[in-house]
Each structure stands twice: as C-alpha cells, then as structure tokens.
Amino acid sequence: LLALGDLGYGTNEQEWCTWTKARFNNIIIITGNHETDESGPSDIGSDATYCPFPLAGVPVNGAPGYPMGGYGFAYYFDYPATSPLARFIMVPFGNTGCVSEVVSFCFNPGDWEPGSSGHTWLSNAISSAKSSGMWTVVGMHEDCISSSFRGCDASGDYVSQEEFDMLFRLGVDLVLHAHNHVYERSKQLKTSAACPTILADLPGDPDCIVDAASPYVRGTGTVVVDQGTGGAGLYDVVCGSTYYAASMDGVNACGGTGTGADGRGALLYTVTSTSISARTDFDSSYFDSFEIISCTTACPLSAYFSFTPTNPLVGEQIAFSATASEGTPPYSFNWDFGDGSTGVGESLVHTYSA
C-alpha cells in the first residue's frame, strides 16, 4: 500500500500504524501537509518510526539532506528486490512545514529547484531507472492539475509549476497524488517545444496531450492520477475545471466522466515488464481503469536534455545531461553547442565565451 500523505489526521501515529498494518501487509508512506506543522497534527518522523519501510532486501535510497535515511521524507526504492520492474520515487513537493517529535527538520521547496542537490538526485533517479528498463513512478501528496480547487502554486504551498513540468520533461511514466479528496486520471501528457508547460488553468493546450484514451504507450508521455479517496470525506469536482482529465469522480458527477457516488477506496496496480495496469476499487458504483503498455513494434526514440544553472552567465560552466528511452539501445549522445563546439557522452560540461 502506497500511502500518499495525510495519513491519520491525529496525534497517535502508533495507533494509526498498528491499525493500518493489521489490514495491509506492506504500507509505504510519504509525508503530507498534515504530517508537519503546516497543517498538523501528525509528525512524519513518528509515522516513519511506527510504520517503518516493510520490504525486506529492498534498499531505501534517501535524497541528500533528508533525515531518517529519507524514508517518509524523500526517497526511492526499486521493486521487486531481484530484477526490479519499477522504481518508486517518493517526494515532498509542495511541503513547507516542520517536524520535531523524532527529528527536527523543516521542508524547503527550494530543495527541488534546478541546480539544487534535490533536483540532481531526482533527475539521476529517473534517468538511471529508465536506462535500466524500469518503469518510473513518482508519488507525492500534493497536486497540481486538479478537478477541484488545488493547483500549481509558485508560493510553495502546493506543487510548483517547475516541479510539475520537470516530471514530464524527464519522461516519468506515472505520477500519483492524493491531496485533493477526489479521484482523477489525466490523459497522457507531455511537454515539448509546442507545449513548454502544462498549466492547470483553463483553457488547456491540445499540444500537451499525447493520447486521450487508454491504453497509453510507454515512453510517449506521462499519466497523472489524483487518488485522494482513501479516508476523509470527498470533495465536489468542478465540472469542466480541467482540460486534461480523462475521468474523475467526487461527491458530485460531471456528465459521463463520473457517477457522483462519493466512493472511497484505493487503486489496484499490476506491474509487469511490459505494462502498468490500474483499476479502481471503491465502495461505490464508480469504476475506472487504464493501462500503459510497451509498444509492440519499433518504438520511436524519446530523448531529453537538461542543464544547470538554468540562467548561466558568460564564462560560467554549464553542466549538461541527456537521457533517452525506447528506440533501439544502446544509445550514443552527440552534442552541438551552437558555438562551433561539440561533445560526446551522456553528461558533460561546456562554457560559452559570448
């Protein structure tokens, strides 16, 4: 069970963990705003203590600067332990609070800005998983595009636009949220020269949509799921509030996209080497399912590059990094910097003199 924050809404983390572990064999957690003093009353340090990482033989790889080995705060793991199929990367995007019960720590949205150690850690975690043939799944509590009142927020209270777009640029297969108390699944989305950013505000941009209906093809875009249906009361969905939704449901219904059955429950995912399939398991009449599949014929090459700092000065060293997926590996990387200089390799450094 991936528990994506706002876990117990109470101060007795041990009681919540005991109750939950009695019903689920393996519960894996990431902080929400209610696990810090941003909203309270829980503390993610206590949650991580009473709900420790449960998968024997599976290493937890924490992000730099985060306490308790990163678990519950910012970390990733590969599953299963032998010949892993997927990398699950859990991040605290949008969290601005502090904790103090087990460790004293304050979350800083700047940890994930381009050029930061967190940004580098995340980029490397995604690119190395893709190079190894694993699916990439990023989980967090707070959301960005939404069928209710949440959205990208540059102030740091929610996921920032840069954080959100970064996941598309890096070619993540699946993004999971839970902050908004509704269910929503997006169409398959991708940033590009025609769609440099995926904004929550209407009107939507058709250039950001790769595929409107499942099954989706691996390596061509990203599917975003808001699965905030695990416990507290659901919200209304705002009909027509997001251009990018493929299906959604809450207390009310929106035409053919939902039932308004106010159902709670979880999504069940099945991961194989060639597909991720998902279906809802709610205590209502609402049902949704989708699948991301590896293409059965020659897949088009997908490539991406990034650089830091993002606003370099003349004479300043710039670190470039490239990733590739699909196509026909192994990959080779050749660079033309536009000033007569060239380079070879996944990562290199270049300096512009003018």
Side-chain angles (χ1 to χ4, degrees):
L1 174 68
L2 294 179
L4 301 174
D6 285 6
L7 304 175
Y9 294 95
T11 57
N12 193 331
E13 294 89 350
Q14 183 176 15
E15 180 181 54
W16 182 83
C17 287
T18 299
W19 185 93
T20 307
K21 288 190 292 185
R23 289 159 176 80
F24 298 95
N25 291 330
N26 299 308
I27 178 170
I28 297 169
I29 63 174
I30 186 66
T31 187
N33 54 293
H34 283 282
E35 282 74 55
T36 74
D37 64 3
E38 179 182 345
S39 301
S42 301
D43 186 299
I44 190 59
S46 294
D47 284 301
T49 298
Y50 295 117
C51 287
F53 188 74
L55 303 179
V58 176
V60 172
N61 299 271
Y66 283 82
M68 302 181 70
Y71 178 63
F73 292 80
Y75 65 100
Y76 73 80
F77 65 95
D78 300 337
Y79 188 81
T82 303
S83 301
L85 298 172
R87 174 164 293 172
F88 296 87
I89 306 168
M90 313 295 279
V91 291
F93 284 1
N95 203 314
T96 60
C98 299
V99 295
S100 60
E101 289 182 3
V102 178
V103 293
S104 294
F105 181 79
C106 291
F107 291 89
N108 178 12
D111 287 349
W112 306 99
E113 293 177 354
S116 67
S117 59
H119 187 283
T120 300
W121 173 85
L122 179 59
S123 299
N124 290 340
I126 294 169
S127 61
S128 61
K130 293 172 73 67
S131 297
S132 299
M134 286 186 278
W135 295 95
T136 50
V137 180
V138 174
M140 68 196 75
H141 177 66
E142 303 201 22
D143 51 14
C144 192
I145 57 172
S146 171
S147 57
S148 192
F149 61 86
R150 313 293 187 186
C152 292
D153 185 351
S155 71
D157 289 337
Y158 303 126
V159 179
S160 74
Q161 190 68 58
E162 167 56 31
E163 290 169 339
F164 191 58
D165 288 338
M166 173 173 57
L167 302 177
F168 297 97
R169 293 198 303 267
L170 292 172
V172 172
D173 295 305
L174 182 63
V175 175
L176 308 178
H177 299 289
H179 189 42
N180 198 7
H181 297 195
V182 297
Y183 171 75
E184 177 182 329
R185 170 175 58 89
S186 79
K187 302 163 186 175
Q188 192 178 42
L189 309 175
K190 183 179 178 66
T191 53
S192 63
C195 168
T197 185
I198 298 178
L199 297 172
D201 296 335
L202 292 173
D205 186 345
D207 289 325
C208 300
I209 299 174
V210 178
D211 197 339
S214 171
Y216 307 112
V217 176
R218 181 181 190 175
T220 59
T222 302
V223 178
V224 182
V225 179
D226 191 334
Q227 49 192 63
T229 55
L234 302 190
Y235 301 148
D236 283 343
V237 291
V238 181
C239 301
S241 61
T242 172
Y243 180 76
Y244 300 115
S247 186
M248 58 188 180
D249 203 43
V251 174
N252 62 323
C254 285
T257 66
T259 64
D262 195 12
R264 294 171 178 80
L267 265 74
L268 305 179
Y269 292 91
T270 301
V271 181
T272 71
S273 60
T274 58
S275 69
I276 295 178
S277 59
R279 63 178 179 86
T280 56
D281 185 21
F282 295 166
D283 61 354
S284 73
S285 58
Y286 176 78
F287 179 79
D288 185 41
S289 65
F290 69 93
E291 190 173 28
I292 308 172
I293 59 173
S294 296
C295 52
T296 55
T297 58
C299 302
L301 177 67
S302 177
Y304 164 75
F305 77 93
S306 61
F307 58 91
T308 56
T310 53
N311 295 294
L313 302 175
V314 172
E316 184 176 11
Q317 282 193 336
I318 308 169
F320 290 87
S321 179
T323 61
S325 61
E326 304 302 342
T328 305
Y331 307 110
S332 60
F333 299 87
N334 297 279
W335 300 79
D336 182 341
F337 295 105
D339 60 354
S341 301
T342 59
V344 176
E346 284 188 57
S347 300
L348 38 75
V349 173
H350 182 67
T351 302
Y352 287 93
S353 59

